[in-house]
Amino acid sequence: MRFYLDHAATTSLRPEAGEAWLGAATVLGNASSTHAAGQDARRLLEECRERVAAVLGCDPIEVVFTSGGTESINLALRGLWLSRGGGTSAIVLPDGEHHASMDSVAALVRDGAEVRAVPLDGFGRIRPDVFAAALPGAALATALAANNEVGTVNDSAALSAAAADAGVPFHLDAVAAWGHVPLSFRRLRGDAEAGEGLVAMSIAGHKLGAPVGVGVLVVARSARITASMHGGTQQRGLRAGTQDVAGAAALAVALERTEAEREGEASRLARLRDRLVAGVLREAPGSELLGDPVGRLPGNAHLLFPGAVGESLLFLLDRAGVAASTGSACQAGVAEPSHVVRAMGRDERAARSVLRFTLGRTSDDADVDAVVEAIGEAYARASGARSAGRS
Ligand SMILES: Cc1ncc(COP(=O)(O)O)c(C=O)c1O
Protein backbone atom coordinates (compact mmCIF):
# COMPACT_ATOMS: atom_id res chain seq x y z
CA MET A 1 0.00 0.00 0.00
CA ARG A 2 1.25 3.46 -0.80
CA PHE A 3 0.70 6.57 1.27
CA TYR A 4 0.52 9.66 -0.90
CA LEU A 5 1.53 12.88 0.85
CA ASP A 6 2.41 14.98 -2.16
CA HIS A 7 -0.97 16.52 -3.02
CA ALA A 8 0.67 19.92 -3.63
CA ALA A 9 2.58 18.44 -6.57
CA THR A 10 -0.61 17.07 -8.05
CA THR A 11 -3.75 15.60 -6.55
CA SER A 12 -6.03 12.78 -7.72
CA LEU A 13 -8.68 13.34 -10.34
CA ARG A 14 -12.13 13.87 -8.87
CA PRO A 15 -14.41 11.17 -10.32
CA GLU A 16 -17.07 13.81 -11.15
CA ALA A 17 -14.46 15.85 -13.03
CA GLY A 18 -13.42 12.75 -14.97
CA GLU A 19 -17.06 12.08 -15.88
CA ALA A 20 -17.58 15.70 -16.96
CA TRP A 21 -14.42 15.48 -19.07
CA LEU A 22 -15.59 12.30 -20.82
CA GLY A 23 -19.09 13.66 -21.35
CA ALA A 24 -17.79 16.85 -22.97
CA ALA A 25 -15.06 15.07 -24.94
CA THR A 26 -17.73 13.14 -26.83
CA VAL A 27 -19.39 16.37 -28.03
CA LEU A 28 -18.16 16.71 -31.60
CA GLY A 29 -17.41 20.18 -32.86
CA ASN A 30 -14.86 22.97 -32.67
CA ALA A 31 -16.23 25.77 -30.49
CA SER A 32 -15.18 28.28 -33.17
CA SER A 33 -17.12 26.60 -36.01
CA THR A 34 -20.37 28.14 -37.17
CA HIS A 35 -22.27 24.91 -37.87
CA ALA A 36 -24.65 23.43 -35.32
CA ALA A 37 -22.05 20.98 -33.94
CA GLY A 38 -19.63 23.85 -33.36
CA GLN A 39 -22.34 25.89 -31.70
CA ASP A 40 -23.17 23.01 -29.34
CA ALA A 41 -19.53 22.87 -28.29
CA ARG A 42 -19.52 26.65 -27.96
CA ARG A 43 -22.60 26.65 -25.73
CA LEU A 44 -21.09 24.03 -23.47
CA LEU A 45 -17.80 25.94 -23.28
CA GLU A 46 -19.47 29.24 -22.44
CA GLU A 47 -21.63 27.58 -19.80
CA CYS A 48 -18.44 26.20 -18.20
CA ARG A 49 -16.81 29.64 -18.40
CA GLU A 50 -19.81 31.10 -16.52
CA ARG A 51 -19.58 28.45 -13.82
CA VAL A 52 -15.83 28.98 -13.43
CA ALA A 53 -16.35 32.75 -13.24
CA ALA A 54 -19.04 32.34 -10.57
CA VAL A 55 -16.69 30.29 -8.38
CA LEU A 56 -13.62 32.48 -8.90
CA GLY A 57 -15.55 35.74 -8.40
CA CYS A 58 -15.08 37.36 -11.81
CA ASP A 59 -17.00 37.96 -15.04
CA PRO A 60 -17.11 35.14 -17.62
CA ILE A 61 -15.21 37.28 -20.12
CA GLU A 62 -12.37 37.53 -17.59
CA VAL A 63 -11.80 33.74 -17.62
CA VAL A 64 -9.00 32.71 -19.99
CA PHE A 65 -8.59 28.93 -20.11
CA THR A 66 -4.95 27.84 -20.32
CA SER A 67 -3.02 24.59 -20.01
CA GLY A 68 -2.21 25.16 -16.31
CA GLY A 69 -0.36 27.28 -13.80
CA THR A 70 2.90 27.75 -15.68
CA GLU A 71 1.20 28.95 -18.85
CA SER A 72 -1.10 31.28 -16.90
CA ILE A 73 1.85 32.85 -15.09
CA ASN A 74 3.91 33.23 -18.28
CA LEU A 75 0.97 34.90 -20.05
CA ALA A 76 0.34 37.24 -17.12
CA LEU A 77 3.89 38.38 -16.50
CA ARG A 78 5.07 38.70 -20.10
CA GLY A 79 1.70 40.06 -21.20
CA LEU A 80 1.58 42.77 -18.54
CA TRP A 81 5.22 43.70 -19.09
CA LEU A 82 4.82 44.03 -22.86
CA SER A 83 1.81 46.32 -22.31
CA ARG A 84 3.46 48.50 -19.68
CA GLY A 85 3.12 52.22 -20.01
CA GLY A 86 6.12 54.49 -20.40
CA GLY A 87 8.62 54.92 -17.62
CA THR A 88 10.12 52.11 -15.65
CA SER A 89 10.61 48.50 -16.69
CA ALA A 90 10.83 47.26 -13.09
CA ILE A 91 9.07 44.09 -11.98
CA VAL A 92 8.36 43.60 -8.29
CA LEU A 93 9.22 39.96 -7.55
CA PRO A 94 9.22 38.71 -3.96
CA ASP A 95 11.89 36.18 -2.99
CA GLY A 96 10.72 32.57 -2.76
CA GLU A 97 8.22 32.69 -5.65
CA HIS A 98 7.52 29.61 -7.79
CA HIS A 99 9.94 28.98 -10.65
CA ALA A 100 7.17 29.73 -13.16
CA SER A 101 7.31 33.35 -11.97
CA MET A 102 11.06 33.51 -11.32
CA ASP A 103 11.95 32.09 -14.72
CA SER A 104 9.36 34.20 -16.56
CA VAL A 105 10.87 37.28 -14.97
CA ALA A 106 14.42 36.06 -15.76
CA ALA A 107 13.39 35.81 -19.43
CA LEU A 108 12.03 39.37 -19.29
CA VAL A 109 15.28 40.58 -17.74
CA ARG A 110 17.01 39.31 -20.88
CA ASP A 111 14.57 41.58 -22.75
CA GLY A 112 15.45 44.61 -20.63
CA ALA A 113 13.34 44.31 -17.46
CA GLU A 114 14.79 45.03 -14.03
CA VAL A 115 13.89 43.15 -10.87
CA ARG A 116 12.91 44.70 -7.57
CA ALA A 117 13.21 41.91 -5.02
CA VAL A 118 11.08 41.79 -1.87
CA PRO A 119 12.68 39.88 1.02
CA LEU A 120 10.62 37.36 3.00
CA ASP A 121 10.50 37.24 6.78
CA GLY A 122 11.68 34.21 8.77
CA PHE A 123 8.26 32.51 8.38
CA GLY A 124 8.32 32.93 4.59
CA ARG A 125 5.77 35.77 4.61
CA ILE A 126 5.72 38.70 2.20
CA ARG A 127 5.21 41.64 4.53
CA PRO A 128 2.68 44.02 2.90
CA ASP A 129 4.60 47.13 4.00
CA VAL A 130 7.86 45.81 2.50
CA PHE A 131 6.00 44.87 -0.70
CA ALA A 132 4.37 48.32 -0.84
CA ALA A 133 7.75 50.02 -0.49
CA ALA A 134 8.99 48.29 -3.67
CA LEU A 135 5.96 49.28 -5.79
CA PRO A 136 6.18 52.98 -6.70
CA GLY A 137 6.72 53.41 -10.42
CA ALA A 138 7.01 49.66 -11.15
CA ALA A 139 5.69 48.23 -14.42
CA LEU A 140 4.06 45.31 -12.64
CA ALA A 141 4.17 43.16 -9.51
CA THR A 142 3.53 39.51 -8.76
CA ALA A 143 3.19 37.48 -5.55
CA LEU A 144 2.16 34.09 -4.26
CA ALA A 145 -1.17 33.90 -2.42
CA ALA A 146 0.44 31.03 -0.49
CA ASN A 147 3.93 29.62 -0.77
CA ASN A 148 3.80 26.21 -2.43
CA GLU A 149 6.84 24.88 -0.53
CA VAL A 150 6.52 26.01 3.06
CA GLY A 151 2.75 26.62 3.00
CA THR A 152 2.84 30.16 4.41
CA VAL A 153 -0.30 32.10 3.44
CA ASN A 154 0.19 35.72 2.41
CA ASP A 155 -2.25 38.55 2.96
CA SER A 156 -3.51 38.73 -0.65
CA ALA A 157 -5.99 41.51 0.18
CA ALA A 158 -3.25 43.74 1.62
CA LEU A 159 -0.91 43.03 -1.32
CA SER A 160 -3.69 43.79 -3.85
CA ALA A 161 -4.60 47.00 -2.01
CA ALA A 162 -0.96 48.10 -1.94
CA ALA A 163 -0.68 47.56 -5.70
CA ALA A 164 -3.93 49.50 -6.29
CA ASP A 165 -2.69 52.38 -4.12
CA ALA A 166 0.58 52.50 -6.05
CA GLY A 167 -1.23 52.29 -9.43
CA VAL A 168 0.70 49.13 -10.36
CA PRO A 169 -0.84 46.12 -12.18
CA PHE A 170 -0.59 43.05 -9.94
CA HIS A 171 -0.66 39.30 -10.69
CA LEU A 172 -1.55 36.84 -7.94
CA ASP A 173 -0.21 33.27 -8.20
CA ALA A 174 -3.11 31.48 -6.53
CA VAL A 175 -2.09 28.00 -7.74
CA ALA A 176 -1.13 26.68 -4.29
CA ALA A 177 -3.69 28.67 -2.29
CA TRP A 178 -6.96 28.51 -4.20
CA GLY A 179 -9.36 25.99 -2.70
CA HIS A 180 -7.62 26.09 0.68
CA VAL A 181 -8.20 29.72 1.66
CA PRO A 182 -11.00 32.07 0.49
CA LEU A 183 -9.89 34.00 -2.62
CA SER A 184 -12.42 35.94 -4.67
CA PHE A 185 -10.93 37.88 -7.58
CA ARG A 186 -13.65 40.54 -7.37
CA ARG A 187 -13.29 41.03 -3.64
CA LEU A 188 -9.49 41.22 -3.84
CA ARG A 189 -9.65 43.63 -6.75
CA GLY A 190 -12.01 45.94 -4.88
CA ASP A 191 -12.58 49.25 -6.62
CA ALA A 192 -9.10 49.53 -8.13
CA GLU A 193 -8.81 51.84 -11.14
CA ALA A 194 -8.69 50.33 -14.65
CA GLY A 195 -5.46 48.43 -15.25
CA GLU A 196 -4.21 48.87 -11.67
CA GLY A 197 -4.19 46.69 -8.56
CA LEU A 198 -5.10 43.01 -8.94
CA VAL A 199 -5.54 42.46 -12.69
CA ALA A 200 -4.64 38.77 -13.10
CA MET A 201 -4.84 35.57 -11.06
CA SER A 202 -3.44 32.12 -11.95
CA ILE A 203 -5.12 28.77 -11.17
CA ALA A 204 -4.08 25.19 -12.09
CA GLY A 205 -6.74 22.47 -12.47
CA HIS A 206 -4.57 19.50 -11.49
CA LYS A 207 -4.09 20.88 -7.97
CA LEU A 208 -7.87 20.76 -7.48
CA GLY A 209 -9.02 17.44 -8.93
CA ALA A 210 -9.26 18.38 -12.63
CA PRO A 211 -6.93 16.65 -15.11
CA VAL A 212 -3.43 17.93 -15.84
CA GLY A 213 -3.55 20.23 -18.87
CA VAL A 214 -6.19 22.79 -17.91
CA GLY A 215 -5.94 26.00 -15.90
CA VAL A 216 -7.20 29.55 -15.83
CA LEU A 217 -5.75 33.00 -15.96
CA VAL A 218 -8.33 35.47 -14.69
CA VAL A 219 -7.65 38.70 -16.57
CA ALA A 220 -9.56 41.83 -15.50
CA ARG A 221 -11.54 43.40 -18.34
CA SER A 222 -9.58 46.60 -17.89
CA ALA A 223 -6.12 45.00 -17.86
CA ARG A 224 -3.60 46.12 -20.45
CA ILE A 225 -2.09 42.81 -21.51
CA THR A 226 -0.45 41.44 -24.66
CA ALA A 227 -0.95 37.87 -25.92
CA SER A 228 1.95 35.41 -26.07
CA MET A 229 0.17 32.87 -28.25
CA HIS A 230 -0.75 33.97 -31.76
CA GLY A 231 -2.93 32.39 -34.41
CA GLY A 232 -6.56 33.14 -33.61
CA THR A 233 -8.96 35.45 -31.84
CA GLN A 234 -10.19 32.97 -29.25
CA GLN A 235 -10.52 34.15 -25.63
CA ARG A 236 -10.21 37.90 -26.29
CA GLY A 237 -7.24 37.15 -28.52
CA LEU A 238 -5.24 36.36 -25.38
CA ARG A 239 -4.96 32.65 -25.97
CA ALA A 240 -5.18 31.64 -29.60
CA GLY A 241 -5.98 28.06 -30.54
CA THR A 242 -8.87 25.61 -30.50
CA GLN A 243 -10.46 25.66 -27.08
CA ASP A 244 -10.46 22.62 -24.80
CA VAL A 245 -14.15 22.16 -24.01
CA ALA A 246 -13.65 18.90 -22.11
CA GLY A 247 -10.92 20.44 -19.94
CA ALA A 248 -13.19 23.40 -19.18
CA ALA A 249 -16.04 21.05 -18.20
CA ALA A 250 -13.79 19.09 -15.85
CA LEU A 251 -12.37 22.26 -14.34
CA ALA A 252 -15.82 23.76 -13.72
CA VAL A 253 -16.85 20.70 -11.70
CA ALA A 254 -13.53 20.51 -9.83
CA LEU A 255 -13.67 24.19 -8.83
CA GLU A 256 -17.30 23.99 -7.72
CA ARG A 257 -16.72 20.88 -5.60
CA THR A 258 -13.52 22.26 -4.11
CA GLU A 259 -15.20 25.51 -3.10
CA ALA A 260 -18.25 23.71 -1.68
CA GLU A 261 -15.98 21.49 0.46
CA ARG A 262 -13.37 24.12 1.30
CA GLU A 263 -14.26 24.97 4.89
CA GLY A 264 -14.90 21.38 5.98
CA GLU A 265 -11.75 20.16 4.27
CA ALA A 266 -9.67 22.95 5.77
CA SER A 267 -10.50 21.89 9.32
CA ARG A 268 -10.21 18.16 8.54
CA LEU A 269 -6.80 18.59 6.89
CA ALA A 270 -5.54 20.97 9.57
CA ARG A 271 -6.34 18.34 12.21
CA LEU A 272 -4.51 15.63 10.24
CA ARG A 273 -1.58 17.98 9.60
CA ASP A 274 -1.27 18.94 13.25
CA ARG A 275 -1.20 15.25 14.20
CA LEU A 276 1.46 14.64 11.54
CA VAL A 277 3.63 17.52 12.73
CA ALA A 278 3.33 16.50 16.40
CA GLY A 279 4.19 12.88 15.51
CA VAL A 280 7.21 13.81 13.40
CA LEU A 281 8.60 16.23 15.99
CA ARG A 282 8.27 13.45 18.59
CA GLU A 283 9.73 10.60 16.51
CA ALA A 284 12.50 12.64 14.86
CA PRO A 285 14.08 14.65 17.69
CA GLY A 286 15.77 17.79 16.37
CA SER A 287 13.34 18.24 13.48
CA GLU A 288 11.60 21.60 13.19
CA LEU A 289 8.44 22.92 11.53
CA LEU A 290 9.24 25.67 9.01
CA GLY A 291 6.90 28.35 7.69
CA ASP A 292 4.20 30.23 9.54
CA PRO A 293 2.96 27.98 12.37
CA VAL A 294 -0.49 29.63 12.26
CA GLY A 295 -1.05 31.28 8.86
CA ARG A 296 -0.29 28.22 6.75
CA LEU A 297 -2.13 26.03 4.24
CA PRO A 298 -4.20 23.47 6.14
CA GLY A 299 -2.66 20.46 4.40
CA ASN A 300 1.00 21.57 4.45
CA ALA A 301 3.65 20.30 6.86
CA HIS A 302 7.13 21.48 5.91
CA LEU A 303 9.89 20.25 8.17
CA LEU A 304 13.62 20.71 8.60
CA PHE A 305 15.71 17.63 9.50
CA PRO A 306 19.13 19.00 10.50
CA GLY A 307 22.03 16.80 9.39
CA ALA A 308 20.02 14.78 6.85
CA VAL A 309 19.75 15.33 3.11
CA GLY A 310 16.11 15.72 2.05
CA GLU A 311 16.54 13.39 -0.92
CA SER A 312 17.92 10.58 1.27
CA LEU A 313 14.89 10.93 3.51
CA LEU A 314 12.62 10.88 0.48
CA PHE A 315 14.23 7.69 -0.75
CA LEU A 316 13.94 5.95 2.63
CA LEU A 317 10.33 7.06 3.07
CA ASP A 318 9.49 5.91 -0.43
CA ARG A 319 10.82 2.45 0.47
CA ALA A 320 8.41 2.52 3.42
CA GLY A 321 5.57 3.31 1.00
CA VAL A 322 5.38 7.04 1.80
CA ALA A 323 5.44 9.55 -1.07
CA ALA A 324 6.58 13.03 0.02
CA SER A 325 8.62 15.81 -1.57
CA THR A 326 11.48 18.16 -0.86
CA GLY A 327 9.21 20.81 -2.35
CA SER A 328 11.97 22.39 -4.40
CA ALA A 329 12.81 22.12 -8.06
CA CYS A 330 14.97 19.36 -9.56
CA GLN A 331 17.88 19.86 -11.94
CA ALA A 332 18.73 16.67 -13.80
CA GLY A 333 16.98 14.61 -11.12
CA VAL A 334 18.88 16.23 -8.22
CA ALA A 335 16.93 18.49 -5.87
CA GLU A 336 18.32 22.01 -5.62
CA PRO A 337 18.63 23.58 -2.18
CA SER A 338 15.31 25.28 -1.54
CA HIS A 339 15.43 28.94 -2.56
CA VAL A 340 12.43 29.51 -0.29
CA VAL A 341 14.23 28.19 2.79
CA ARG A 342 17.27 30.31 1.85
CA ALA A 343 14.97 33.35 1.50
CA MET A 344 13.73 32.67 5.03
CA GLY A 345 17.27 33.29 6.27
CA ARG A 346 18.44 29.67 6.64
CA ASP A 347 21.80 28.43 5.35
CA GLU A 348 22.34 26.20 2.33
CA ARG A 349 22.73 23.08 4.44
CA ALA A 350 19.28 23.68 5.98
CA ALA A 351 17.89 24.36 2.50
CA ARG A 352 18.91 20.81 1.51
CA SER A 353 17.50 19.19 4.66
CA VAL A 354 13.78 19.78 4.28
CA LEU A 355 10.76 17.67 3.45
CA ARG A 356 7.25 18.72 2.49
CA PHE A 357 4.25 16.55 3.34
CA THR A 358 1.02 17.74 1.73
CA LEU A 359 -2.42 16.32 2.41
CA GLY A 360 -5.48 16.41 0.19
CA ARG A 361 -9.00 15.16 -0.44
CA THR A 362 -8.09 11.46 -0.22
CA SER A 363 -5.77 11.78 2.82
CA ASP A 364 -6.73 10.13 6.09
CA ASP A 365 -5.31 9.05 9.45
CA ALA A 366 -3.57 6.03 7.88
CA ASP A 367 -1.38 8.41 5.82
CA VAL A 368 -0.38 10.29 8.95
CA ASP A 369 0.31 7.04 10.84
CA ALA A 370 2.54 5.80 8.01
CA VAL A 371 4.71 8.94 8.14
CA VAL A 372 4.95 8.94 11.93
CA GLU A 373 5.92 5.24 11.93
CA ALA A 374 8.59 5.59 9.25
CA ILE A 375 10.18 8.95 10.01
CA GLY A 376 12.22 8.08 13.13
CA GLU A 377 14.22 5.30 11.49
CA ALA A 378 14.49 7.19 8.18
CA TYR A 379 15.91 10.25 9.95
CA ALA A 380 18.36 8.19 12.00
CA ARG A 381 19.60 6.43 8.87
CA ALA A 382 19.71 9.55 6.69
CA SER A 383 21.64 11.59 9.23
CA GLY A 384 23.95 8.63 10.02
CA ALA A 385 24.59 8.07 6.30
CA ARG A 386 25.43 11.73 5.94
CA SER A 387 28.06 11.88 8.71
CA ALA A 388 29.55 8.53 7.56
CA GLY A 389 29.77 9.93 4.03
CA ARG A 390 31.69 12.97 5.24
CA SER A 391 34.28 11.17 7.40
C1 LIG B 1 2.46 28.21 -6.58
C2 LIG B 1 2.61 27.51 -7.90
N1 LIG B 1 2.66 28.24 -9.02
C3 LIG B 1 2.76 27.67 -10.23
C4 LIG B 1 2.82 26.30 -10.38
C5 LIG B 1 2.92 25.70 -11.75
O1 LIG B 1 1.69 25.12 -12.10
P1 LIG B 1 1.58 23.94 -13.19
O2 LIG B 1 2.24 22.75 -12.59
O3 LIG B 1 0.09 23.75 -13.37
O4 LIG B 1 2.21 24.40 -14.43
C6 LIG B 1 2.78 25.49 -9.24
C7 LIG B 1 2.91 24.02 -9.35
O5 LIG B 1 3.53 23.39 -8.53
C8 LIG B 1 2.67 26.11 -7.97
O6 LIG B 1 2.63 25.39 -6.84
Side-chain angles (χ1 to χ4, degrees), residues 376-390:
E377 190 187 330
Y379 186 31
R381 290 186 61 184
S383 42
R386 186 158 195 263
S387 40
R390 266 189 286 138

Side-chain angles (χ1 to χ4, degrees), residues 254-317:
L255 289 175
E256 285 169 349
R257 295 287 166 117
T258 302
E259 182 57 22
E261 294 167 6
R262 181 171 53 74
E263 282 184 18
E265 275 296 90
S267 39
R268 189 183 74 85
L269 294 182
R271 185 192 66 79
L272 287 175
R273 180 212 49 211
D274 291 346
R275 207 164 74 72
L276 186 151
V277 170
V280 170
L281 296 179
R282 186 182 65 238
E283 298 297 323
S287 59
E288 182 191 342
L289 179 70
L290 295 189
D292 193 329
V294 181
R296 68 185 306 127
L297 293 173
N300 175 297
H302 187 273
L303 292 128
L304 170 67
F305 296 90
V309 175
E311 282 164 298
S312 309
L313 282 167
L314 270 191
F315 173 76
L316 292 164
L317 288 176

Side-chain angles (χ1 to χ4, degrees), residues 8-9 67-71 73 98-101 144 146-148 173-177 203-207 214 356:
S67 64
T70 300
E71 183 191 329
I73 292 168
H98 189 273
H99 270 280
S101 295
L144 282 163
N147 189 286
N148 51 292
D173 175 355
V175 170
I203 304 280
H206 71 105
K207 311 281 187 187
V214 61
R356 178 186 73 179

Side-chain angles (χ1 to χ4, degrees), residues 7-35:
H7 287 267
T10 198
T11 196
S12 52
L13 183 70
R14 285 175 178 268
E16 319 87 300
E19 282 159 26
W21 188 93
L22 258 182
T26 52
V27 172
L28 180 63
N30 184 320
S32 299
S33 299
T34 49
H35 48 60

Side-chain angles (χ1 to χ4, degrees), residues 359-387:
L359 304 160
R361 188 174 50 86
T362 54
S363 301
D364 58 19
D365 281 297
D367 296 307
V368 173
D369 292 341
V371 173
V372 174
E373 252 168 55
I375 195 69
E377 190 187 330
Y379 186 31
R381 290 186 61 184
S383 42
R386 186 158 195 263
S387 40

